[in-house]
Amino acid sequence: MTSEGGSGKPFVVLGVSAGIAAYKAIEVCRRLVDAGVHVAPVLTERATRFVGRATFDALASERVQIGLWDEASPIPHTRLGQSADLVVVAPATVDLLARYAGGFADDLLTTTLVATAAPVLVCPAMHTEMWEHPAVQENLDTLRRRGVTVIPPGDGRLAGGDVGTGRLADPSLIVATVLEMLGRGEAVGAGDLDGVRMVVSAGGTREPIDPVRFITNRSSGKQGHALAAAARRRGAEVVLVTSSALPAAQGVEVDRVETAADMEAAMLHRAEAADVVVMAAAVADFRPKEAGTSKMHKSDGVPDLVLEATPDILAELGRRRRPGQVLVGFAAETEQLSDRARAKLASKGVDLMVANDVSAPAVGFDHDTNEVTIFGADGSMFPVALRTKDAVADAILDRVSALLSPS
Ligand code: CTP
């Protein structure tokens, strides 16, 4: 990790683009400085219409920079990009995300983003209609694929009195994520999972009723895909067995599956050569006993759907696992979280059970954030407070890493 002027402090570039939420970046700046971080603020030209540079000048560790030609040095973008341990952009507007995803370097902030090799965190804030626009979502997918961490906006009141998704994430969540990314930067960079063979399952399975209908659940696959990406970043050889259409991170081998039966076949096969197996998928518990081979028609009347249980893949993996293989399960609960998670941990024979209360706000199915408790077969319990699914993935992998190389 680099540090500013040998002070030992981590060096963070705080990018601020032109949105109403720019005032919240002042709070992010203050809290990071309080936490012992060297903060170098970089505002876009238009951000100065929302917040004054004097405020950042007073609170940050160095003066605000805006243009490419502010510093005495002719190449300030290289200094910032090279010095940074992390770049955080809060708020990130539609325009900033588009320019960053497109590889533009037309101001100091985008130039720093393109010039840095440090981890990058972006915190979008915008109106709901803009957030939902495919161009914005595709730009974010592109950035995620390149390893950028995204803290999605929350719900609430927006500029102009509208209500919806688009509010900048809470400054405390942004600060906690920055500190966490800095704190584990070295472990991640050092490749603590170098050469570890890992299989991760993700997504909700689809159990056909007929060729056009199926039974499924609310799982998006985001947590499983985040785990695969994080494991790859940390040096593991990763196979992702997924029923989700989400993209997989670069370097991850993917088996696309649909049904519980497909997933069972892929997982049992892939697990044979794996050091670590993670069942993050939400496998359907029931499936139609017989799927129609042609479309059912209304005119035939309401069908009597007869269901049967699907195989419990995790329990089977538990029975078959080799000595030394680490097995991780997930428990999605709405009540009695710890009792149920511990019971599943024991009955399925796993080392770690990652439990989340899927009825809590911003947790579980389809959210970009999660809050979990990791239960260990040794009786341990690690609560992981609300954070991005990328950061939760790293917290889970920290536990896996500890099991692989006990100190
Ligand atoms: N799981 C599995 N095969 C199934 C059902 C679940 O491998 N047919 C795995 C999930 O991937 C998860 C763990 O078992 O890692 C727990 O899943 P969960 O749905 O929470 O529990 P269930 O075993 O389905 O029990 P219940 O329905 O009582 O909650």
Side-chain angles (χ1 to χ4, degrees):
M1 186 179 280
T2 60
S3 64
E4 176 58 9
S7 66
K9 290 184 177 181
F11 186 104
V12 168
V13 173
L14 171 61
V16 182
S17 58
I20 285 284
Y23 74 93
K24 294 189 187 168
I26 294 167
E27 183 67 12
V28 171
C29 176
R30 191 187 62 76
R31 290 199 198 191
L32 285 174
V33 170
D34 284 352
V37 172
H38 182 103
V39 180
V42 175
L43 273 60
T44 63
E45 188 73 49
R46 280 182 288 166
T48 60
R49 291 172 182 257
F50 293 91
V51 277
R53 62 187 300 167
T55 317
F56 283 102
D57 278 346
L59 293 172
S61 316
E62 57 178 80
R63 298 199 60 166
V64 168
Q65 293 184 68
I66 296 166
L68 279 164
W69 314 104
D70 286 357
E71 270 198 355
S73 155
I75 45 169
H77 62 282
T78 314
R79 181 187 75 86
L80 286 170
Q82 284 174 345
S83 310
D85 292 307
L86 184 141
V87 182
V88 50
V89 186
T93 58
V94 172
D95 179 69
L96 186 280
L97 292 171
R99 288 189 291 132
Y100 182 24
F104 285 63
D106 51 359
D107 62 8
L108 183 59
L109 180 52
T110 47
T111 304
T112 302
L113 285 165
V114 173
T116 195
V120 176
L121 173 67
V122 295
C123 311
M126 59 198 65
H127 266 78
T128 310
E129 296 77 3
M130 295 170 115
W131 170 249
E132 289 172 350
H133 196 284
V136 173
Q137 293 303 320
E138 280 167 26
N139 285 333
L140 284 168
D141 284 344
T142 300
L143 293 176
R144 284 193 185 98
R145 260 200 310 279
R146 293 178 190 155
V148 171
T149 301
V150 179
I151 305 187
D155 297 342
R157 207 156 56 81
L158 305 171
D162 295 346
V163 175
T165 304
R167 274 165 75 97
L168 181 68
D170 198 70
S172 58
L173 177 60
I174 298 173
V175 170
T177 307
V178 168
L179 295 178
E180 183 156 316
M181 287 172 77
L182 286 171
R184 56 171 44 97
E186 290 190 28
V188 173
D192 62 335
L193 298 176
D194 254 345
V196 169
R197 294 162 304 174
M198 189 173 305
V199 184
V200 180
S201 72
T205 62
R206 295 171 164 197
E207 310 303 328
I209 296 171
D210 70 11
V212 296
R213 304 177 178 95
F214 52 80
I215 295 174
T216 191
N217 56 60
R218 292 182 184 279
S219 168
S220 62
K222 285 178 183 168
Q223 186 62 77
H225 280 239
L227 266 161
R232 181 71 204 120
R233 264 198 318 273
R234 293 166 72 148
E237 292 166 20
V238 186
V239 178
L240 177 63
V241 176
T242 181
S243 56
S244 163
L246 289 174
Q250 244 171 26
V252 168
E253 193 182 340
V254 188
D255 277 1
R256 300 263 174 203
V257 296
E258 278 273 320
T259 63
D262 296 344
M263 187 167 276
E264 181 188 33
M267 287 304 290
L268 295 183
H269 169 63
R270 293 293 196 166
E272 280 172 17
D275 304 307
V276 180
V277 180
V278 183
M279 270 305 289
V283 184
D285 287 320
F286 311 107
R287 65 185 167 204
K289 200 162 183 181
E290 274 167 34
T293 49
S294 56
K295 185 185 170 190
M296 294 176 180
H297 291 284
K298 269 198 303 236
S299 52
D300 301 331
V302 179
D304 279 329
L305 269 189
V306 181
L307 302 180
E308 66 177 4
T310 55
D312 190 323
I313 305 170
L314 184 58
E316 188 57 32
L317 288 165
R319 282 188 286 273
R320 293 189 184 197
R321 74 171 164 162
R322 291 180 285 105
Q325 189 180 60
V326 173
L327 189 55
V328 183
F330 273 67
E333 306 294 351
T334 53
E335 63 213 347
Q336 295 176 299
L337 182 110
S338 70
D339 286 353
R340 286 181 185 273
R342 284 191 203 280
K344 282 179 192 173
L345 183 145
S347 69
K348 302 197 188 213
V350 304
D351 298 294
L352 298 173
M353 188 55 93
V354 183
N356 58 0
D357 175 355
V358 288
S359 62
V363 173
F365 297 133
D366 209 27
H367 290 290
D368 286 316
T369 46
N370 210 354
E371 179 175 3
V372 304
T373 305
I374 307 170
F375 294 92
D378 58 1
S380 58
M381 189 183 117
F382 294 90
V384 183
L386 187 67
R387 62 200 63 189
T388 63
K389 286 188 171 172
D390 293 334
V392 169
D394 272 319
I396 296 167
L397 293 177
D398 287 348
R399 310 297 351 130
V400 168
S401 183
L403 285 176
L404 288 171
S405 42
S407 50

mmCIF file with all atom_site columns, all heavy atoms in Angstrom, residues 161-174:
data_model
loop_
_atom_site.group_PDB
_atom_site.id
_atom_site.type_symbol
_atom_site.label_atom_id
_atom_site.label_alt_id
_atom_site.label_comp_id
_atom_site.label_asym_id
_atom_site.label_entity_id
_atom_site.label_seq_id
_atom_site.pdbx_PDB_ins_code
_atom_site.Cartn_x
_atom_site.Cartn_y
_atom_site.Cartn_z
_atom_site.occupancy
_atom_site.B_iso_or_equiv
_atom_site.pdbx_formal_charge
_atom_site.auth_seq_id
_atom_site.auth_comp_id
_atom_site.auth_asym_id
_atom_site.auth_atom_id
_atom_site.pdbx_PDB_model_num
ATOM 1  N N   . GLY A 1 161 ? -38.513 16.808 -4.953 1.00 0.00 ? 161 GLY A N   1
ATOM 2  C CA  . GLY A 1 161 ? -39.668 16.263 -4.236 1.00 0.00 ? 161 GLY A CA  1
ATOM 3  C C   . GLY A 1 161 ? -40.098 14.883 -4.699 1.00 0.00 ? 161 GLY A C   1
ATOM 4  O O   . GLY A 1 161 ? -40.991 14.280 -4.112 1.00 0.00 ? 161 GLY A O   1
ATOM 5  N N   . ASP A 1 162 ? -39.468 14.332 -5.751 1.00 0.00 ? 162 ASP A N   1
ATOM 6  C CA  . ASP A 1 162 ? -39.826 12.978 -6.184 1.00 0.00 ? 162 ASP A CA  1
ATOM 7  C C   . ASP A 1 162 ? -39.391 11.972 -5.129 1.00 0.00 ? 162 ASP A C   1
ATOM 8  O O   . ASP A 1 162 ? -38.485 12.228 -4.340 1.00 0.00 ? 162 ASP A O   1
ATOM 9  C CB  . ASP A 1 162 ? -39.105 12.618 -7.497 1.00 0.00 ? 162 ASP A CB  1
ATOM 10 C CG  . ASP A 1 162 ? -39.572 13.492 -8.642 1.00 0.00 ? 162 ASP A CG  1
ATOM 11 O OD1 . ASP A 1 162 ? -40.607 14.164 -8.474 1.00 0.00 ? 162 ASP A OD1 1
ATOM 12 O OD2 . ASP A 1 162 ? -38.886 13.509 -9.682 1.00 0.00 ? 162 ASP A OD2 1
ATOM 13 N N   . VAL A 1 163 ? -40.045 10.798 -5.183 1.00 0.00 ? 163 VAL A N   1
ATOM 14 C CA  . VAL A 1 163 ? -39.649 9.724  -4.266 1.00 0.00 ? 163 VAL A CA  1
ATOM 15 C C   . VAL A 1 163 ? -39.332 8.497  -5.106 1.00 0.00 ? 163 VAL A C   1
ATOM 16 O O   . VAL A 1 163 ? -40.060 8.187  -6.040 1.00 0.00 ? 163 VAL A O   1
ATOM 17 C CB  . VAL A 1 163 ? -40.800 9.402  -3.275 1.00 0.00 ? 163 VAL A CB  1
ATOM 18 C CG1 . VAL A 1 163 ? -40.455 8.209  -2.411 1.00 0.00 ? 163 VAL A CG1 1
ATOM 19 C CG2 . VAL A 1 163 ? -41.095 10.613 -2.391 1.00 0.00 ? 163 VAL A CG2 1
ATOM 20 N N   . GLY A 1 164 ? -38.251 7.794  -4.789 1.00 0.00 ? 164 GLY A N   1
ATOM 21 C CA  . GLY A 1 164 ? -37.909 6.587  -5.547 1.00 0.00 ? 164 GLY A CA  1
ATOM 22 C C   . GLY A 1 164 ? -36.465 6.195  -5.286 1.00 0.00 ? 164 GLY A C   1
ATOM 23 O O   . GLY A 1 164 ? -35.832 6.695  -4.353 1.00 0.00 ? 164 GLY A O   1
ATOM 24 N N   . THR A 1 165 ? -35.941 5.293  -6.145 1.00 0.00 ? 165 THR A N   1
ATOM 25 C CA  . THR A 1 165 ? -34.555 4.861  -6.009 1.00 0.00 ? 165 THR A CA  1
ATOM 26 C C   . THR A 1 165 ? -33.649 5.895  -6.662 1.00 0.00 ? 165 THR A C   1
ATOM 27 O O   . THR A 1 165 ? -33.946 6.353  -7.757 1.00 0.00 ? 165 THR A O   1
ATOM 28 C CB  . THR A 1 165 ? -34.357 3.501  -6.706 1.00 0.00 ? 165 THR A CB  1
ATOM 29 O OG1 . THR A 1 165 ? -35.291 2.591  -6.138 1.00 0.00 ? 165 THR A OG1 1
ATOM 30 C CG2 . THR A 1 165 ? -32.956 2.964  -6.509 1.00 0.00 ? 165 THR A CG2 1
ATOM 31 N N   . GLY A 1 166 ? -32.563 6.240  -6.032 1.00 0.00 ? 166 GLY A N   1
ATOM 32 C CA  . GLY A 1 166 ? -31.643 7.189  -6.645 1.00 0.00 ? 166 GLY A CA  1
ATOM 33 C C   . GLY A 1 166 ? -30.839 7.988  -5.639 1.00 0.00 ? 166 GLY A C   1
ATOM 34 O O   . GLY A 1 166 ? -29.862 8.629  -6.001 1.00 0.00 ? 166 GLY A O   1
ATOM 35 N N   . ARG A 1 167 ? -31.259 7.930  -4.356 1.00 0.00 ? 167 ARG A N   1
ATOM 36 C CA  . ARG A 1 167 ? -30.526 8.694  -3.336 1.00 0.00 ? 167 ARG A CA  1
ATOM 37 C C   . ARG A 1 167 ? -29.130 8.129  -3.139 1.00 0.00 ? 167 ARG A C   1
ATOM 38 O O   . ARG A 1 167 ? -28.961 6.915  -3.037 1.00 0.00 ? 167 ARG A O   1
ATOM 39 C CB  . ARG A 1 167 ? -31.221 8.540  -1.984 1.00 0.00 ? 167 ARG A CB  1
ATOM 40 C CG  . ARG A 1 167 ? -32.319 9.496  -1.727 1.00 0.00 ? 167 ARG A CG  1
ATOM 41 C CD  . ARG A 1 167 ? -33.101 8.982  -0.555 1.00 0.00 ? 167 ARG A CD  1
ATOM 42 N NE  . ARG A 1 167 ? -32.376 9.192  0.701  1.00 0.00 ? 167 ARG A NE  1
ATOM 43 C CZ  . ARG A 1 167 ? -32.592 10.227 1.498  1.00 0.00 ? 167 ARG A CZ  1
ATOM 44 N NH1 . ARG A 1 167 ? -33.488 11.131 1.169  1.00 0.00 ? 167 ARG A NH1 1
ATOM 45 N NH2 . ARG A 1 167 ? -31.932 10.348 2.624  1.00 0.00 ? 167 ARG A NH2 1
ATOM 46 N N   . LEU A 1 168 ? -28.169 9.016  -3.025 1.00 0.00 ? 168 LEU A N   1
ATOM 47 C CA  . LEU A 1 168 ? -26.805 8.566  -2.743 1.00 0.00 ? 168 LEU A CA  1
ATOM 48 C C   . LEU A 1 168 ? -26.820 7.688  -1.487 1.00 0.00 ? 168 LEU A C   1
ATOM 49 O O   . LEU A 1 168 ? -27.505 7.999  -0.515 1.00 0.00 ? 168 LEU A O   1
ATOM 50 C CB  . LEU A 1 168 ? -25.902 9.789  -2.493 1.00 0.00 ? 168 LEU A CB  1
ATOM 51 C CG  . LEU A 1 168 ? -24.434 9.480  -2.200 1.00 0.00 ? 168 LEU A CG  1
ATOM 52 C CD1 . LEU A 1 168 ? -23.740 8.919  -3.435 1.00 0.00 ? 168 LEU A CD1 1
ATOM 53 C CD2 . LEU A 1 168 ? -23.704 10.730 -1.706 1.00 0.00 ? 168 LEU A CD2 1
ATOM 54 N N   . ALA A 1 169 ? -26.056 6.606  -1.506 1.00 0.00 ? 169 ALA A N   1
ATOM 55 C CA  . ALA A 1 169 ? -25.953 5.734  -0.328 1.00 0.00 ? 169 ALA A CA  1
ATOM 56 C C   . ALA A 1 169 ? -25.548 6.579  0.878  1.00 0.00 ? 169 ALA A C   1
ATOM 57 O O   . ALA A 1 169 ? -24.890 7.615  0.735  1.00 0.00 ? 169 ALA A O   1
ATOM 58 C CB  . ALA A 1 169 ? -24.922 4.643  -0.587 1.00 0.00 ? 169 ALA A CB  1
ATOM 59 N N   . ASP A 1 170 ? -25.915 6.091  2.031  1.00 0.00 ? 170 ASP A N   1
ATOM 60 C CA  . ASP A 1 170 ? -25.613 6.823  3.256  1.00 0.00 ? 170 ASP A CA  1
ATOM 61 C C   . ASP A 1 170 ? -24.099 7.039  3.402  1.00 0.00 ? 170 ASP A C   1
ATOM 62 O O   . ASP A 1 170 ? -23.323 6.101  3.190  1.00 0.00 ? 170 ASP A O   1
ATOM 63 C CB  . ASP A 1 170 ? -26.124 5.974  4.425  1.00 0.00 ? 170 ASP A CB  1
ATOM 64 C CG  . ASP A 1 170 ? -26.262 6.816  5.655  1.00 0.00 ? 170 ASP A CG  1
ATOM 65 O OD1 . ASP A 1 170 ? -27.159 7.657  5.673  1.00 0.00 ? 170 ASP A OD1 1
ATOM 66 O OD2 . ASP A 1 170 ? -25.425 6.656  6.570  1.00 0.00 ? 170 ASP A OD2 1
ATOM 67 N N   . PRO A 1 171 ? -23.662 8.259  3.763  1.00 0.00 ? 171 PRO A N   1
ATOM 68 C CA  . PRO A 1 171 ? -22.220 8.488  3.917  1.00 0.00 ? 171 PRO A CA  1
ATOM 69 C C   . PRO A 1 171 ? -21.554 7.474  4.849  1.00 0.00 ? 171 PRO A C   1
ATOM 70 O O   . PRO A 1 171 ? -20.409 7.064  4.610  1.00 0.00 ? 171 PRO A O   1
ATOM 71 C CB  . PRO A 1 171 ? -22.155 9.898  4.513  1.00 0.00 ? 171 PRO A CB  1
ATOM 72 C CG  . PRO A 1 171 ? -23.375 10.584 3.977  1.00 0.00 ? 171 PRO A CG  1
ATOM 73 C CD  . PRO A 1 171 ? -24.432 9.512  3.907  1.00 0.00 ? 171 PRO A CD  1
ATOM 74 N N   . SER A 1 172 ? -22.264 6.991  5.871  1.00 0.00 ? 172 SER A N   1
ATOM 75 C CA  . SER A 1 172 ? -21.613 6.029  6.788  1.00 0.00 ? 172 SER A CA  1
ATOM 76 C C   . SER A 1 172 ? -21.336 4.709  6.070  1.00 0.00 ? 172 SER A C   1
ATOM 77 O O   . SER A 1 172 ? -20.313 4.059  6.317  1.00 0.00 ? 172 SER A O   1
ATOM 78 C CB  . SER A 1 172 ? -22.445 5.818  8.048  1.00 0.00 ? 172 SER A CB  1
ATOM 79 O OG  . SER A 1 172 ? -23.712 5.354  7.684  1.00 0.00 ? 172 SER A OG  1
ATOM 80 N N   . LEU A 1 173 ? -22.248 4.302  5.145  1.00 0.00 ? 173 LEU A N   1
ATOM 81 C CA  . LEU A 1 173 ? -22.007 3.064  4.382  1.00 0.00 ? 173 LEU A CA  1
ATOM 82 C C   . LEU A 1 173 ? -20.832 3.267  3.423  1.00 0.00 ? 173 LEU A C   1
ATOM 83 O O   . LEU A 1 173 ? -19.985 2.387  3.251  1.00 0.00 ? 173 LEU A O   1
ATOM 84 C CB  . LEU A 1 173 ? -23.280 2.662  3.613  1.00 0.00 ? 173 LEU A CB  1
ATOM 85 C CG  . LEU A 1 173 ? -23.161 1.425  2.716  1.00 0.00 ? 173 LEU A CG  1
ATOM 86 C CD1 . LEU A 1 173 ? -22.770 0.181  3.503  1.00 0.00 ? 173 LEU A CD1 1
ATOM 87 C CD2 . LEU A 1 173 ? -24.461 1.166  1.954  1.00 0.00 ? 173 LEU A CD2 1
ATOM 88 N N   . ILE A 1 174 ? -20.768 4.460  2.813  1.00 0.00 ? 174 ILE A N   1
ATOM 89 C CA  . ILE A 1 174 ? -19.664 4.744  1.878  1.00 0.00 ? 174 ILE A CA  1
ATOM 90 C C   . ILE A 1 174 ? -18.332 4.712  2.634  1.00 0.00 ? 174 ILE A C   1
ATOM 91 O O   . ILE A 1 174 ? -17.365 4.056  2.212  1.00 0.00 ? 174 ILE A O   1
ATOM 92 C CB  . ILE A 1 174 ? -19.866 6.121  1.195  1.00 0.00 ? 174 ILE A CB  1
ATOM 93 C CG1 . ILE A 1 174 ? -21.159 6.115  0.369  1.00 0.00 ? 174 ILE A CG1 1
ATOM 94 C CG2 . ILE A 1 174 ? -18.660 6.478  0.325  1.00 0.00 ? 174 ILE A CG2 1
ATOM 95 C CD1 . ILE A 1 174 ? -21.546 7.465  -0.212 1.00 0.00 ? 174 ILE A CD1 1
#
